[in-house]
C-alpha cells in the first residue's frame, strides 16, 4: 500500500514537470481517495491546482494539509499564493510570513511578499477573500459560522407540505 501511495505522488510530480497539470490533479485526487491523510499527495495536488489558477480549490486542499501538519511550509506557501491570486493581500501576507518562518530560505515567499508590496505601493490594497469562496468538507458542516471554515449554511428542511423559500445566489 505504501508503494501505491508513493506511486501516485510520483506520477503526479512527473505530470507537473511535464506541465500536464490537469492530469496531475486527476492522479492526485484519485490517489487521495485511498490515502486522504497523505500530506505529500495533497501538496502535489496543491501545486497542480496552483499552476491552473484554481485558487478556491488550493485553499480547500491546503486547509486539509495544514490540519494534517500545521508546520508544512509548502502548504503555507501554496495557501499564500492562492490568497495573492484572489487578491486578499492581508491574509496572504500573514500566511507567507508563516511560510518564511518555517523555511527562511524560501525565495518564492519573498517573491510573493514583494508582489504584495508593489501592489500596495501602486495603491491597490486588495480585497478580503469571501469566506464562502472556499469549500467546506461535509464532515465539518455544523450549521455555525466559523471564521476558520467560512460560512456554513444550515441544511434545507425536508418538505413537509410547507413552502420553503430558496434565496437567490
Amino acid at each position: 500500500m505504501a508503494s501505491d501511495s508513493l506511486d501516485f505522488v510520483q506520477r503526479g510530480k512527473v505530470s507537473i514537470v511535464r506541465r500536464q497539470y490537469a492530469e496531475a490533479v486527476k492522479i492526485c485526487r484519485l490517489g487521495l481517495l485511498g490515502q486522504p491523510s497523505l500530506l505529500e499527495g495533497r501538496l502535489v495536488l496543491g501545486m497542480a491546482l496552483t499552476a491552473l489558477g484554481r485558487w478556491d480549490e488550493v485553499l480547500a486542499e491546503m486547509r486539509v494539509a495544514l490540519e494534517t501538519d500545521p508546520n508544512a511550509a509548502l502548504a503555507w506557501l501554496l495557501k499564500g499564493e492562492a490568497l495573492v491570486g484572489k487578491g486578499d493581500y492581508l491574509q496572504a501576507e500573514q500566511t507567507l510570513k508563516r511560510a518564511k518562518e518555517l523555511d527562511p530560505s524560501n525565495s518564492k515567499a519573498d517573491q510573493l511578499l514583494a508582489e504584495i508590496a508593489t501592489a500596495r505601493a501602486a495603491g491597490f490594497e486588495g480585497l478580503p477573500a469571501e469566506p464562502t469562496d472556499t469549500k467546506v468538507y461535509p464532515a465539518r458542516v455544523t450549521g455555525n459560522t466559523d471564521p476558520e471554515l467560512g460560512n456554513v449554511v444550515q441544511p434545507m428542511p425536508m418538505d413537509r407540505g410547507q413552502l420553503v423559500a430558496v434565496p437567490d445566489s
Side-chain angles (χ1 to χ4, degrees):
M1 183 72 128
S3 66
D4 290 345
S5 64
L6 294 177
D7 180 52
F8 92 80
V9 170
Q10 187 61 35
R11 288 185 301 125
K13 287 179 179 179
V14 168
S15 293
I16 289 173
V17 168
R18 292 180 177 164
R19 299 180 187 268
Q20 296 171 338
Y21 305 118
E23 181 66 16
V25 168
K26 183 174 112 180
I27 290 168
C28 291
R29 288 215 191 274
L30 288 172
L32 285 168
L33 288 174
Q35 294 283 331
S37 61
L38 186 64
L39 179 64
E40 191 176 4
R42 203 157 299 276
L43 294 173
V44 173
L45 174 57
M47 289 186 283
L49 291 168
T50 297
L52 294 170
R54 291 163 54 178
W55 308 128
D56 288 337
E57 292 174 74
V58 174
L59 290 171
E61 293 300 334
M62 292 309 99
R63 180 180 331 162
V64 176
L66 290 167
E67 285 174 2
T68 304
D69 180 3
N71 294 318
L74 181 55
W76 286 103
L77 177 68
L78 291 169
K79 179 180 178 181
E81 188 168 357
L83 289 166
V84 169
K86 290 179 66 73
D88 186 344
Y89 294 152
L90 182 61
Q91 277 190 63
E93 187 173 41
Q94 295 166 352
T95 301
L96 292 166
K97 285 179 180 178
R98 177 70 176 136
K100 281 296 287 182
E101 251 177 54
L102 295 168
D103 181 9
S105 64
N106 192 323
S107 61
K108 180 68 174 183
D110 290 330
Q111 175 193 347
L112 291 167
L113 287 166
E115 284 179 28
I116 292 170
T118 301
R120 285 185 172 154
F124 186 70
E125 283 299 317
L127 303 169
E130 292 291 321
T132 56
D133 283 350
T134 51
K135 295 166 185 64
V136 175
Y137 285 87
R140 294 200 159 264
V141 174
T142 62
N144 298 325
T145 301
D146 182 339
E148 190 66 28
L149 299 175
N151 293 326
V152 180
V153 179
Q154 289 280 0
M156 292 294 293
M158 296 295 291
D159 182 20
R160 299 196 198 303
Q162 74 268 30
L163 186 60
V164 178
V166 179
D168 292 332
S169 300

